[in-house]
Amino acid sequence: MKIACHTQNAAVSEQLKSVLASAGFEVQLFSSEAALLRGVRRDEVDLILIDLAQEPDADNSTLSWLNMRSGDATPVMILSPLDNAELAALMLNAGADEFVRRPFEVVELVARVNALLRRNGTPHQRRSIEFAGYTLEHDSGRLFFLGQLIELTPREFSMAWLFFSSPGVYISRSTIGAVIWSTDSEVAGRTIEQHVYKLRKKLQVGEKRIVMIRTAYTQGYRLELAAE
């Protein structure tokens, strides 16, 4: 599935490309609003994602395009660093389908993209992940390293899927608790620490670490390649 993205922020552009590609989407980046609008007229895409870094003028091309388009059911998601309810209402009333403030949680953004696609009749569900020799199979709930099965509990697999879906990206404890335990309580927080510890040990191959789960107190956890 193809997602067309426009942002003038290089860091956000790289983050979107990494996050969406890791979730199994084909990402097409556009450097300007005009290039984006030409591109989506020329090529069929499944979702359009636009980063709005400042309040739009009355003649803003994105706002005008949203107000004018008809007969196009492609869902549109607006990202913005502006914590502004009036702006969100303006874009949604103009025709956008979703408004997400950034910085965003990776798992939430991917979930909202999938929800938009479902509502549009084009559901996307990633069935497997391959990274650094590891393979995760969503349907069977199994993890392999170079074909060798690694035994995981269902919650350990859910946690592994979350990390392997977005390598290099920190995932907060509250997000992990909400996604896997449906709570952000202190009990879930302590349980997360225990599950991360066990998962770290199970991901180790003999005496060698291929990947590691790094902890940052204020940011959460992220999966990354282990230093050689």
Side-chain angles (χ1 to χ4, degrees):
M1 286 191 174
K2 184 184 291 186
I3 298 179
C5 299
H6 162 58
T7 176
Q8 294 181 329
N9 185 310
V12 174
S13 178
E14 286 303 309
Q15 184 185 24
L16 287 173
K17 183 177 180 180
S18 173
V19 166
L20 295 173
S22 295
F25 295 100
E26 179 184 348
V27 182
Q28 190 172 5
L29 297 173
F30 295 90
S31 59
S32 70
E33 292 177 343
L36 170 72
L37 300 183
R38 285 196 302 269
V40 298
R41 281 196 296 264
R42 183 180 63 248
D43 300 319
E44 186 175 336
V45 299
D46 298 290
L47 186 140
I48 300 167
L49 197 157
I50 300 171
D51 181 50
L52 196 63
Q54 59 189 15
E55 294 274 359
D57 297 327
D59 61 350
N60 176 269
S61 57
T62 298
L63 188 58
S64 299
W65 170 71
L66 284 171
N67 278 308
M68 291 171 53
R69 72 175 189 149
S70 61
D72 181 5
T74 306
V76 176
M77 176 182 287
I78 303 294
L79 288 182
S80 181
L82 305 175
D83 189 7
N84 185 326
E86 288 74 20
L87 176 61
L90 175 67
M91 302 310 292
L92 293 169
N93 287 332
D97 299 279
E98 181 66 278
F99 186 95
V100 178
R101 293 179 179 86
R102 63 171 173 84
F104 51 77
E105 285 281 358
V106 169
V107 290
E108 181 183 359
L109 179 71
V110 173
R112 289 184 181 278
V113 166
N114 284 327
L116 274 184
L117 292 171
R118 284 197 303 273
R119 292 205 297 268
N120 199 50
T122 53
H124 170 80
Q125 177 65 64
R126 196 173 185 186
R127 312 316 301 179
S128 65
I129 298 173
E130 293 185 4
F131 180 77
Y134 295 88
T135 301
L136 292 85
E137 296 181 349
H138 186 273
D139 292 340
S140 64
R142 296 191 298 177
L143 169 68
F144 300 87
F145 179 74
L146 298 179
Q148 183 70 36
L149 178 65
I150 299 174
E151 296 285 352
L152 298 179
T153 67
R155 277 184 172 161
E156 287 169 350
F157 179 83
S158 296
M159 182 175 284
W161 184 271
L162 198 58
F163 288 134
F164 277 90
S165 293
S166 305
V169 177
Y170 278 109
I171 302 174
S172 70
R173 292 171 177 83
S174 61
T175 295
I176 294 171
V179 170
I180 300 176
W181 282 271
S182 300
T183 180
D184 58 359
S185 68
E186 292 182 5
V187 173
R190 293 194 296 270
T191 304
I192 288 169
E193 294 285 352
Q194 296 169 359
H195 277 72
V196 168
Y197 173 77
K198 293 177 182 178
L199 184 58
R200 281 192 182 112
K201 295 187 69 174
K202 291 185 177 183
L203 292 176
Q204 188 167 321
V205 180
E207 298 299 316
K208 187 176 181 181
R209 286 196 305 174
I210 308 299
V211 296
M212 62 180 292
I213 301 173
R214 184 179 297 277
T215 306
Y217 180 73
T218 59
Q219 296 175 287
Y221 306 90
R222 76 177 183 190
L223 182 84
E224 59 186 50
L225 291 171
E228 295 186 2

